[in-house]
Amino acid sequence: MTELVFAAGSALWLGVLTSISPCPLATNIAAISYIGRRIDNTRYVLLAGLLYAMGRVVAYVGLAFLLVSTALKVPGVSQFLQKYMHLLLGPTLIVVGMFLVGLIEINIKGGGVSESVKQRIDRLGIWGALALGVLFALAFCPTSAALFFGNVMASVSAGSTVLLPLLYGIGTALPVLGFAVLIALGSKKLGEAFNVVSHTERWARLGTGIVVVMVGCLLTLQSLL
């Protein structure tokens, strides 16, 4: 029970950390701009923020469930995971931690969202926020991909194919929801909040990365002894 609670808290925190990391933060700023277009309508802004959050959660849970259920249905893969998952989890966490502290960097220049896709999303009205949440959740960059797939492997190890991806998805949406509330309240401190997030993210990412690497090393040593 304690291990599941720890895993759940870690999944939620890693989701938040993913959301405020430089690459995903760029897409979230775009989402906030989209959500805040109707700044004069508080209800619209809050509902759009909730729909965007729901889109991210649905995308992550759906993808994680698809990956895990597909893998477990293949006899060879299922047997491999049951036999070697405890050996793979430690090295996976080490790699994830190395991404967080910057020891591994992969620069990929994304093309962003095309104009045709933007027009289609606009035609959906407020439901476009839901579609945008799904789209941006699946627009993986190296760091977010490492965190997500590390979370998927932790889900398999913990025997929870839905709870951890669900909490991870909620974590990625929390900062956007927070900014949506600030927009809805007409807060003048929105820019200051962005600056605080940008400065805090680096130290949170480094601290989390160090802890993740240490846990990964510990699990690896335990599996070898």
Side-chain angles (χ1 to χ4, degrees):
M1 183 64 182
T2 303
E3 291 181 0
L4 182 59
V5 171
F6 177 77
S10 299
L12 184 66
W13 169 244
L14 289 177
V16 173
L17 192 61
T18 298
S19 185
I20 63 177
S21 295
C23 176
L25 184 60
T27 60
N28 283 332
I29 289 174
I32 291 165
S33 299
Y34 178 87
I35 292 169
R37 293 183 305 171
R38 297 283 299 276
I39 194 171
D40 58 317
N41 190 330
T42 300
R43 183 179 177 184
Y44 179 95
V45 171
L46 291 176
L47 184 55
L50 287 172
L51 286 172
Y52 176 79
M54 188 183 301
R56 294 193 72 99
V57 171
V58 167
Y60 286 129
V61 172
L63 181 58
F65 183 78
L66 179 64
L67 290 172
V68 174
S69 60
T70 301
L72 293 179
K73 285 180 181 178
V74 179
V77 176
S78 178
Q79 292 173 7
F80 177 83
L81 290 176
Q82 291 176 10
K83 188 174 182 179
Y84 297 108
M85 175 56 69
H86 67 290
L87 297 176
L88 294 174
L89 187 57
T92 299
L93 290 178
I94 292 174
V95 173
V96 170
M98 291 174 72
F99 268 104
L100 289 174
V101 299
L103 292 176
I104 299 177
E105 293 185 359
I106 302 175
N107 296 318
I108 298 178
K109 294 182 179 180
V113 180
S114 66
E115 193 60 36
S116 62
V117 173
K118 289 180 181 178
Q119 291 175 0
R120 291 177 185 175
I121 289 175
D122 283 337
R123 284 198 291 269
L124 294 174
I126 193 170
W127 292 101
L130 180 69
L132 200 64
V134 174
L135 181 64
F136 282 172
L138 298 178
F140 287 108
C141 65
T143 301
S144 61
L147 288 170
F148 172 74
F149 288 107
N151 186 60
V152 169
M153 292 194 68
S155 299
V156 176
S157 180
S160 172
T161 57
V162 175
L163 178 61
L164 299 190
L166 173 67
L167 291 172
Y168 178 82
I170 292 173
T172 64
L174 284 178
V176 177
L177 280 175
F179 285 120
V181 171
L182 288 177
I183 293 172
L185 295 176
S187 175
K188 296 180 181 179
K189 295 185 177 297
L190 190 60
E192 294 179 12
F194 267 118
N195 289 331
V196 170
V197 167
S198 298
H199 286 92
T200 304
E201 179 275 334
R202 180 173 180 271
W203 297 108
R205 176 165 47 84
L206 286 174
T208 303
I210 291 171
V211 172
V212 169
V213 169
M214 291 174 64
V215 172
C217 290
L218 179 62
L219 290 176
T220 302
L221 289 174
Q222 286 180 342
S223 65
L224 294 176
L225 294 177

